[in-house]
Amino acid sequence: MELKKAITERRSVKNYDYEMYVDEEKVFSLVDLATYAPNHGMREPWRLVYISKKQIPEFAEKVAESAFVNDSEKQEKYINKVTKVGGMFVILSKRDPRQKENLENQMAVGAFVQNLMLLMHDEGMGSCWKTPEFIFRPTFRKIVGVNDDEEVNGFLYITEKDSSVKVMERKNKSLITEW
């Protein structure tokens, strides 16, 4: 697939209306390719926690109980939605106490995830990067096994490509200001 076309046509797929399965070997090989993202000092500040299709129901139940305490309706809605995806990653990044290096790490993780999403798109898979509020809670960090020196950058849901998701026109046409 042509790179320009992949960049403009890749969309976040948010409809998980049916069960789907992914080729994990293929997904893991795409993760390896995504690591060629630019990153300062070759720090490679990313780490992924993979939750397989088989593990998602148990994981979703623990997350739902932690995220939506005493709200069984929201718990059930969350569990029903995420158990349909083909797999998911929790995206983590190395926290650096130095401001410059921490910024560089965050940018590198964004480049890594964009690489991974474009690679999945090229292979006929869909994806969606989600950042729900509960990912910042200590209970979620404990469930996932986040280290003290790591930040949670969200979930990457692995889905099927959805051709009904249309390319939206970009609003920011005045991006460049001359000095």
Side-chain angles (χ1 to χ4, degrees):
M1 179 181 288
E2 183 185 331
L3 180 60
K4 291 176 186 176
K5 185 176 180 182
I7 289 171
T8 58
E9 291 183 0
R10 190 221 53 85
R11 294 277 127 325
S12 293
V13 179
K14 300 175 185 174
N15 298 325
Y16 327 116
D17 294 334
Y18 49 90
E19 295 285 331
M20 72 146 309
Y21 298 86
V22 295
D23 177 347
E24 289 182 352
E25 190 174 317
K26 172 60 78 180
V27 170
F28 293 168
S29 73
L30 298 177
V31 169
D32 288 342
L33 282 172
T35 64
Y36 285 88
N39 66 97
H40 297 80
M42 290 298 292
R43 287 193 299 269
E44 299 180 341
W46 43 75
R47 180 167 78 93
L48 300 177
V49 176
Y50 181 67
I51 299 95
S52 70
K53 179 73 173 179
K54 189 172 105 177
Q55 296 168 314
I56 289 175
E58 179 184 351
F59 178 79
E61 189 174 320
K62 287 182 182 198
V63 169
E65 288 171 0
S66 161
F68 310 109
V69 178
N70 299 323
D71 191 336
S72 58
E73 189 175 308
K74 282 187 179 179
Q75 290 175 3
E76 186 176 342
K77 183 178 178 184
Y78 176 79
I79 292 166
N80 288 339
K81 187 166 192 154
V82 301
T83 53
K84 293 179 181 163
V85 301
M88 67 173 73
F89 290 107
V90 179
I91 306 159
L92 306 174
S93 63
K94 193 76 154 171
R95 184 184 317 119
D96 197 299
R98 302 167 296 178
Q99 186 176 17
K100 174 184 175 287
E101 288 78 0
N102 199 58
L103 174 62
E104 291 170 349
N105 285 354
Q106 294 302 314
M107 292 188 301
V109 169
F112 166 78
V113 174
Q114 173 71 346
N115 275 3
L116 184 54
M117 293 172 80
L118 287 169
L119 288 163
M120 288 178 173
H121 176 78
D122 188 49
E123 289 293 331
M125 295 178 227
S127 62
C128 188
W129 191 351
K130 304 290 272 184
T131 54
E133 177 276 329
F134 63 76
I135 64 173
F136 303 104
R137 295 184 190 164
T139 52
F140 178 78
R141 293 175 64 86
K142 186 175 180 179
I143 291 167
V144 175
V146 180
N147 297 322
D148 290 342
D149 65 344
E150 291 177 318
E151 298 289 344
V152 180
N153 296 95
F155 290 102
L156 185 63
Y157 293 166
I158 305 168
T159 67
E160 287 190 353
K161 199 183 270 187
D162 184 349
S163 59
S164 71
V165 178
K166 300 298 178 205
V167 175
M168 295 174 65
E169 186 67 26
R170 298 300 173 196
K171 296 174 238 165
N172 192 349
K173 297 294 184 186
S174 303
L175 187 63
I176 301 172
T177 304
E178 292 190 41
W179 182 67

